[in-house]
Amino acid sequence: MSQENTSKQYVVDTRPLALVLLSRLNRPLRLLLGVGLFVLVYSMETPEGLSEEGRKAMAVFALCLTWWVLNVLPLMITSLMAIALIPLTGIMPAEQAYSLFGNSAVFFIMGAFILAACLMKSGLSTRLGLLFLRRFGHSPRSLLCAVFLMNAFMAFWMSEHAVAAMNFPIIMEIVMVLKLRQRRSSYAKALFLALAWGSTIGGVATLLGGGRAPLALGILEQYEGTNPFTFLDWTLRALPVVVVMLGVGWLVITRFFPIDQDSVADAETALAEKVAKLGPMSRDEKAIGAVMLGTVATWVLAGHNLGLANVAIGAIVLLFVFKLVKWRDVEEYVNWGIILMYGGAICLGAALNDSGAATWLAQRTLGLMADSPSSAVAALSASSWLLTEAISNSAVVALMMPMGLGMADTIGLVPATIAPLIAIPAGLAFAFPIGTPANAIAYSSGFLRLRDIILPGAIMGATGWVVFNLTVRFYWTWAGYIHL
């Protein structure tokens, strides 16, 4: 018998038997809960005011919502299941259900992810981040501020999750060079929260910061038959919230985690060495940067006429025509599963809307809390913010958009207004690692305790909700975006 086998260690589970059995049954119970709700709703008598197709759509919705919230299966697998269940239960024909996956929002999201992958693969995004930190990070306070603003600005143009993941090694190297102690250094905690919250706040600003806004617009397009928002329209609605929350975030970070570091000279040296190691900017980096700038300019100036997804795909074709990227590089950097998740969510939203289930459900839930446009804004934004602290923000949009659209006409809101009312607050998750991958990445550093995130994050989330509602009440009404 080998030495390896003889030295094998066994761990005895000393927990009570009931607790052990319960932990083993946890996943089967969560699976059965979703299936049980599906069977219950599917087999019940159709309520007054709801069609038979609506009842079946409600059953599929209950199953998907349960599995999304309890994280029973990967989000994208649950979404694919929804596409299959919709024709199987007779809610709509298979041809119609599967054709919804071809919504332009899905291709815009895919295009944005591929463009971000090209930026990361070329090293251009890392170079820009390092140069920014080296230029402005000469003192502990200015370095912290540079980390916060750099992540926010980069999340304007790339997925906030990608920004946090890409810059995490840079922040980790800074805290290691400065020899900051895990869970004790207030400055290290501030740096990692600046990474997470900067990415989160910046990701709200444009349609490129994450999949929430394109997903909301995709569901809106299925409902209205058109998408009235341009790239600039969306940014103008979100930007005041972003600017105020950057100020609030800076105050909260520096108040909860006072700067206890005297010098960052060692970090400056490390950043300078990393920049020198990159060498001069390559031809590919310059070309990819030019294509990206041209793409953003086209989105802003002509995106509504040309189509956001068409512009994104055109830019990708250019990158391949000039051999600036290879397909295997794209495959490595793009999260294809998230794209599947968005396609399924748009399909489920269309099934709820077309069957009348969304209106019926909204009148019996949100309708009880909202009897005027002002109270509807408060209820929708509060629901989106509270849910996004616990579940994926994309799942929140998939859940809330059909319900919001279902109640829009009843309470006197233009349906198009529902998309930013739900998608922007759904991006303001600060309090828990499960709320957003940016928080989870920062927490994984080992420098933060859970209590370091929860209280300041809850203050950030509540303040974000207040700031958003004040923005809607005063700025949106002044600009004519909404009538309250």
Side-chain angles (χ1 to χ4, degrees):
M1 186 176 290
S2 69
Q3 182 67 29
E4 182 179 349
N5 288 337
T6 55
S7 62
K8 189 172 182 179
Q9 298 292 315
Y10 294 93
V11 177
V12 177
D13 192 338
T14 58
R15 294 177 298 171
L17 180 60
L19 192 58
V20 173
L21 291 175
L22 187 61
S23 66
R24 297 285 177 87
L25 291 173
N26 183 290
R27 186 169 183 275
L29 287 175
R30 287 183 288 146
L31 277 166
L32 287 175
L33 178 61
V35 174
L37 285 173
F38 172 81
V39 173
L40 178 66
V41 178
Y42 190 85
S43 59
M44 73 180 187
E45 187 176 344
T46 304
E48 185 179 354
L50 184 66
S51 66
E52 184 178 349
E53 287 77 14
R55 174 176 53 76
K56 294 175 180 176
M58 290 274 293
V60 176
F61 181 60
L63 172 61
C64 292
L65 178 61
T66 305
W67 284 7
W68 275 334
V69 172
L70 298 181
N71 202 23
V72 178
L73 298 177
L75 294 177
M76 55 290 296
I77 300 301
T78 302
S79 296
L80 286 177
M81 179 192 68
I83 299 178
L85 281 177
I86 286 169
L88 285 174
T89 52
I91 299 169
M92 63 173 58
E95 293 78 8
Q96 183 182 356
Y98 283 96
S99 68
L100 292 169
F101 196 86
N103 188 286
S104 63
V106 176
F107 287 88
F108 172 69
I109 295 167
M110 182 181 69
F113 282 3
I114 291 177
L115 290 172
C118 294
L119 281 175
M120 288 189 286
K121 175 59 183 176
S122 69
L124 179 59
S125 52
T126 302
R127 179 188 297 277
L128 294 175
L130 288 171
L131 288 174
F132 188 85
L133 292 179
R134 189 187 172 198
R135 173 68 181 82
F136 297 102
H138 299 305
S139 70
R141 179 172 288 272
S142 65
L143 179 61
L144 177 63
C145 186
V147 169
F148 190 45
L149 295 180
M150 177 191 74
N151 281 278
F153 183 72
M154 293 182 77
F156 281 26
W157 317 110
M158 300 170 61
S159 161
E160 64 189 76
H161 312 156
V163 171
M166 183 182 69
N167 290 329
F168 178 79
I170 299 176
I171 306 304
M172 183 61 84
E173 183 161 342
I174 289 174
V175 299
M176 298 305 288
V177 166
L178 295 177
K179 297 181 173 60
L180 304 179
R181 292 194 298 173
Q182 278 195 340
R183 303 192 174 193
R184 291 181 178 274
S185 168
S186 178
Y187 189 59
K189 294 176 181 178
L191 283 171
F192 282 108
L193 280 184
L195 164 82
W197 291 357
S199 304
T200 299
I201 295 170
V204 172
T206 72
L207 296 175
L208 302 177
R212 297 175 304 275
L215 175 60
L217 295 183
I219 296 174
L220 174 66
E221 188 174 346
Q222 288 300 325
Y223 182 82
E224 287 276 88
T226 181
N227 167 24
F229 289 96
T230 65
F231 190 90
L232 191 59
D233 285 340
W234 188 276
T235 300
L236 288 175
R237 284 165 173 78
L239 205 53
V241 178
V242 172
V243 172
V244 175
M245 287 309 296
L246 283 175
V248 173
W250 175 253
L251 289 176
V252 172
I253 289 174
T254 52
R255 173 71 67 174
F256 274 86
F257 306 101
I259 297 174
D260 57 356
Q261 186 71 18
D262 296 327
S263 170
V264 291
D266 291 340
E268 281 188 272
T269 303
L271 290 172
E273 290 174 353
K274 288 183 80 69
V275 172
K277 192 175 179 181
L278 288 175
M281 185 179 286
S282 67
R283 182 189 67 88
D284 286 0
E285 286 180 81
K286 293 176 183 175
I288 289 173
V291 170
M292 194 64 198
L293 285 175
T295 305
V296 172
T298 309
W299 272 330
V300 173
L301 299 175
H304 196 60
N305 293 327
L306 298 178
L308 296 174
N310 298 332
V311 174
I313 292 173
I316 293 166
V317 171
L318 272 181
L319 292 174
F320 279 88
V321 165
F322 292 106
K323 296 183 177 180
L324 297 172
V325 66
K326 296 176 181 176
W327 182 248
R328 64 172 177 269
D329 300 330
V330 172
E331 285 183 309
E332 180 182 351
Y333 281 87
V334 174
N335 187 343
W336 301 100
I338 291 297
I339 297 169
L340 296 177
M341 188 269 168
Y342 291 142
I346 289 173
C347 183
L348 181 58
L352 288 167
N353 282 321
D354 292 353
S355 66
T359 303
W360 187 88
L361 184 62
Q363 289 172 347
R364 285 155 182 79
T365 52
L366 291 173
L368 300 176
M369 300 182 285
D371 54 2
S372 67
S374 296
S375 59
V377 170
L380 286 170
S381 56
S383 301
S384 296
W385 162 52
L386 291 172
L387 284 169
T388 200
E389 292 286 8
I391 62 176
S392 156
N393 46 43
S394 300
V396 172
V397 172
L399 161 67
M400 294 294 299
M401 274 299 293
M403 295 172 63
L405 291 171
M407 66 185 289
D409 290 333
T410 308
I411 55 174
L413 282 176
V414 176
T417 310
I418 299 298
L421 285 178
I422 289 173
I424 293 175
L428 300 175
F430 299 99
F432 298 99
I434 59 173
T436 169
N439 271 5
I441 290 169
Y443 182 68
S444 71
S445 67
F447 282 81
L448 289 163
R449 292 171 295 189
L450 201 53
R451 69 186 185 191
D452 294 326
I453 303 178
I454 291 177
L455 179 57
I459 292 173
M460 284 289 291
T463 307
W465 178 77
V466 172
V467 168
F468 177 76
N469 277 269
L470 290 175
T471 301
V472 173
R473 179 67 183 85
F474 295 104
Y475 169 64
W476 286 22
T477 52
W478 172 78
Y481 297 147
I482 194 171
H483 299 288
L484 298 177

